[in-house]
């Protein structure tokens, strides 16, 4: 019996290096309610918190969470935040609650979460945790009748490029990495214990009361659409600025290449004259010459993130507009009848 247990333990240890890919994030209903409550209480301010749970095969179980305190501008001390997390996890461990960190959650405003800061946070978590996710909750989107909750992780190919800090066009083409390959969305599965499900069944009345929820027919979506369009316009301006950087780089590159060709032609003509005079030819490349110094190519990371954000705003506008059309057709049918 002992040998069997020893072999199974060794097999489990050896299998950690070849863990299966993450397929689903299983969240407890209580953890989701805590996230929603924390984000809505401080909306429109952005808040964050810690996710606790277990990493089981291809499933990442989120069983609990706790919020991070909101710091003032003059109190940004990382040591205090780290001590707070350690103390919270120690207290949870004492009451027999899962205290393994599996990621973090954060609120967002109209889906504006695709930033460099989010990527840096992911990379910091990856140094200590093999697999982690970020749960994004959007209170403003949820007010439109949709539970705007999603689980994200960075793709492996993008993390390799980010570690090397190489986002040149040649490297991106080599890795076949486009702007849609930065983040990977993991499906979320809501799970409740049998006791909670039985309790909710007891609370449910035998005959559900029919009630008219007229808020579902509210046709006014102007504030939400306006904010999305404002953010979309800002992103388009930022993308235009990024495109101007690339145009400026390619203009300088073409100018440098023209100067190099002119210098090479002049040097070749000079070498021909030196050969005719019986002298040694000069080298055709001069690294000390400024025109041979390579120009630094701008990083494409910002343009990729902005493009991702533009796609997100367009999807949100498309979804809200589709719901509004459905309400208009329903209202028209009710009015005709």
């Amino acid at each position: 019996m002992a040998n069997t247990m020893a072999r199974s333990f060794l097999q489990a240890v050896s299998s950690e290096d070849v863990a299966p890919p993450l397929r689903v994030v299983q969240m407890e209903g209580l953890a989701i309610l805590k996230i929603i409550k924390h984000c809505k209480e401080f909306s429109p301010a952005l808040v964050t918190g810690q996710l606790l749970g277990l990493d089981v095969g291809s499933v990442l179980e989120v069983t609990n969470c706790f919020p991070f305190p909101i710091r003032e501008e003059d109190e940004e001390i990382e040591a205090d935040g780290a001590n707070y997390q350690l103390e919270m996890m120690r207290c949870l461990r004492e009451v027999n609650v899962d205290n393994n960190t599996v990621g973090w959650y954060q609120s967002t405003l109209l889906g504006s979460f695709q930033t460099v800061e989010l990527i840096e946070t992911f990379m910091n978590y990856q140094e200590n945790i093999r697999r982690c996710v970020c749960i994004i909750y959007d209170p403003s989107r949820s007010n439109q009748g949709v539970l705007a909750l999603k689980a994200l992780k960075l793709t492996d190919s993008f993390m390799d490029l980010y570690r090397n800090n190489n986002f040149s066009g040649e490297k991106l083409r080599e890795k076949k990495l486009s702007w849609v390959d930065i983040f990977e969305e993991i499906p979320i599965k809501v799970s409740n214990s049998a006791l909670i499900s039985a309790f909710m069944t007891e609370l449910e009345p035998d005959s559900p009361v029919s009630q008219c929820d007229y808020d579902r027919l509210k046709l006014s979506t102007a504030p939400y659409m306006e904010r999305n369009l404002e953010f979309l316009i800002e992103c388009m301006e930022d993308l235009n600025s990024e495109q101007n950087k690339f145009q400026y780089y390619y203009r300088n590159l073409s100018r440098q290449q023209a100067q190099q060709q002119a210098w090479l032609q002049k040097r070749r003509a000079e070498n021909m004259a030196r050969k005719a005079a019986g002298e040694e030819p000069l080298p055709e490349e001069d690294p000390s010459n400024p025109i041979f110094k390579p120009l630094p190519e701008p990083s494409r990371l910002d343009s990729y993130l902005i493009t991702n954000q533009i796609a997100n705003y367009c999807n949100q506008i498309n979804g809200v507009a589709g719901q509004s059309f459905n309400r208009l057709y329903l209202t028209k049918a009710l009015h005709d009848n």
Side-chain angles (χ1 to χ4, degrees):
M1 182 66 180
N3 294 334
T4 304
M5 293 182 63
R7 285 197 299 270
S8 63
F9 176 75
L10 293 175
Q11 290 173 0
V13 172
S14 62
S15 63
E16 287 185 357
D17 297 333
V18 289
L22 185 60
R23 299 297 184 188
V24 65
V25 176
Q26 181 174 302
M27 298 187 66
E28 293 286 341
L30 180 61
I32 294 179
L33 291 177
K34 285 183 177 181
I35 294 174
I36 294 174
K37 182 176 182 293
H38 183 212
C39 296
K40 279 194 172 183
E41 282 181 349
F42 293 91
S43 182
L46 303 182
V47 295
T48 60
Q50 192 89 343
L51 298 176
L52 306 174
L54 299 171
D55 185 359
V56 184
S58 60
V59 179
L60 193 67
E61 298 182 3
V62 179
T63 58
N64 205 347
C65 64
F66 63 86
F68 290 156
I70 299 180
R71 306 175 190 169
E72 300 296 334
E73 294 182 357
D74 55 347
E75 295 180 347
E76 293 189 4
I77 304 175
E78 294 184 1
D80 291 345
N83 293 334
Y84 171 80
Q85 295 180 39
L86 293 175
E87 184 65 20
M88 280 293 298
M89 295 172 70
R90 184 186 65 81
C91 294
L92 292 172
R93 184 172 59 252
E94 290 179 354
V95 296
N96 199 23
V97 175
D98 291 335
N99 55 85
N100 300 316
T101 302
V102 294
W104 80 101
Y105 71 85
Q106 69 180 48
S107 61
T108 184
L109 179 63
L110 297 177
S112 305
F113 59 87
Q114 305 192 35
T115 60
V116 178
E117 289 77 13
L118 178 63
I119 296 175
E120 292 176 349
T121 307
F122 260 116
M123 300 304 295
N124 292 333
Y125 269 84
Q126 289 285 343
E127 292 179 358
N128 303 315
I129 305 173
R130 183 178 60 179
R131 290 195 301 192
C132 67
V133 295
C134 177
I135 302 297
I136 305 291
Y137 178 71
D138 190 350
S140 58
R141 182 77 177 97
S142 299
N143 292 335
Q144 303 298 319
V146 178
L147 180 60
L149 193 73
K150 59 177 62 178
L152 298 176
K153 66 180 290 290
L154 293 178
T155 60
D156 296 335
S157 56
F158 176 81
M159 284 193 292
D160 292 339
L161 285 181
Y162 192 84
R163 291 189 185 99
N164 298 326
N165 195 21
N166 188 356
F167 289 97
S168 62
E170 181 181 357
K171 199 67 177 179
L172 291 172
R173 287 189 295 270
E174 177 185 340
K175 294 291 185 178
K176 297 181 180 180
L177 188 73
S178 65
W179 58 271
V180 296
D181 299 323
I182 298 179
F183 296 101
E184 179 183 355
E185 185 172 353
I186 309 298
I188 295 178
K189 177 183 177 182
V190 181
S191 173
N192 289 313
S193 66
L195 289 176
I196 294 178
S197 301
F199 180 67
M200 295 299 295
T201 304
E202 289 293 330
L203 290 180
E204 184 178 354
D206 295 334
S207 57
V209 180
S210 59
Q211 57 181 358
C212 296
D213 189 2
Y214 294 107
D215 292 338
R216 296 176 181 270
L217 298 177
K218 186 187 296 183
L219 301 178
S220 176
T221 57
Y224 183 80
M225 296 285 285
E226 287 175 2
R227 294 298 301 276
N228 270 283
L229 288 173
E230 289 174 1
F231 288 170
L232 180 60
I233 292 173
E234 292 178 3
C235 283
M236 294 299 295
E237 293 175 352
D238 294 339
L239 185 61
N240 185 42
S241 300
E242 291 293 323
Q243 295 298 325
N244 290 335
K245 291 181 184 178
F246 286 107
Q247 290 178 4
Y248 180 75
Y249 164 74
Y250 284 117
R251 282 199 301 267
N252 289 339
L253 184 63
S254 61
R255 187 182 300 115
Q256 184 188 55
Q257 291 174 351
Q259 292 175 353
Q260 291 175 357
Q261 291 297 325
W263 189 89
L264 287 173
Q265 290 178 2
K266 181 180 178 182
R267 175 56 61 90
R268 288 167 183 167
E270 184 178 354
N271 284 336
M272 291 178 63
R274 292 175 66 90
K275 285 181 181 180
E279 299 178 357
E280 289 291 331
L282 298 174
E284 292 191 356
E285 292 186 3
D286 186 6
S288 61
N289 197 322
I291 64 173
F292 288 97
K293 184 179 180 180
L295 297 176
E297 183 179 351
S299 174
R300 298 176 184 267
L301 177 59
D302 290 336
S303 61
Y304 271 29
L305 290 175
I306 294 172
T307 306
N308 248 325
Q309 199 61 62
I310 290 174
N312 190 29
Y313 289 141
C314 291
N315 291 334
Q316 291 181 165
I317 293 173
N318 186 31
V320 175
Q323 294 177 1
S324 299
F325 277 120
N326 291 336
R327 292 169 186 159
L328 286 172
Y329 287 134
L330 178 59
T331 305
K332 182 178 182 299
L334 293 173
H335 183 268
D336 294 340
N337 290 336

